[in-house]
Amino acid sequence: MSTEIVHTGQTDTSLQPVNRQAIVAAAMAVLAVVGLFFAGMAVIAVFVVGAGHVALNQIQQRGERGRGFAIAALAVGYGIGILSLGSALIFAITSATQ
């Protein structure tokens, strides 16, 4: 009885390292969410978006894992940005009418 090893040309993604920038972006996203409850900390969301985009670019170039971390960080960063913009607009409109 013989056994054959068939190579399909696909690499095992579990052997690829997780992109460190994606992990940093995800950690900063958690910090930005916590920062929503403390004054001035939500500004970290700007850096989360930058780190998330850099991580996605590195993941694509290097073939690393961590795409989910980077996309989650981008979603949190942009979400906080939209909330901040909406809050600023509401504050501006209500201040102008008084």
Side-chain angles (χ1 to χ4, degrees):
M1 175 166 33
S2 67
T3 59
E4 291 183 30
I5 298 175
V6 179
H7 295 285
T8 60
Q10 298 176 353
T11 59
D12 188 13
T13 58
S14 65
L15 298 177
Q16 296 294 331
V18 177
N19 184 275
R20 289 183 183 175
Q21 189 74 24
I23 295 171
V24 168
M28 287 190 332
V30 170
L31 186 61
V33 169
V34 171
L36 285 174
F37 301 105
F38 302 105
M41 292 292 292
V43 74
I44 295 173
V46 173
F47 300 107
V48 170
V49 170
H53 281 293
V54 169
L56 281 178
N57 190 21
Q58 288 178 353
I59 289 167
Q60 183 180 12
Q61 288 179 349
R62 300 176 187 171
E64 295 175 327
R65 297 182 302 150
R67 183 174 167 83
F69 286 132
I71 291 174
L74 283 171
V76 168
Y78 278 120
I80 291 173
I82 290 169
L83 285 174
S84 299
L85 180 62
S87 174
L89 287 174
I90 290 170
F91 177 75
I93 292 170
T94 55
S95 295
T97 58
Q98 292 179 356

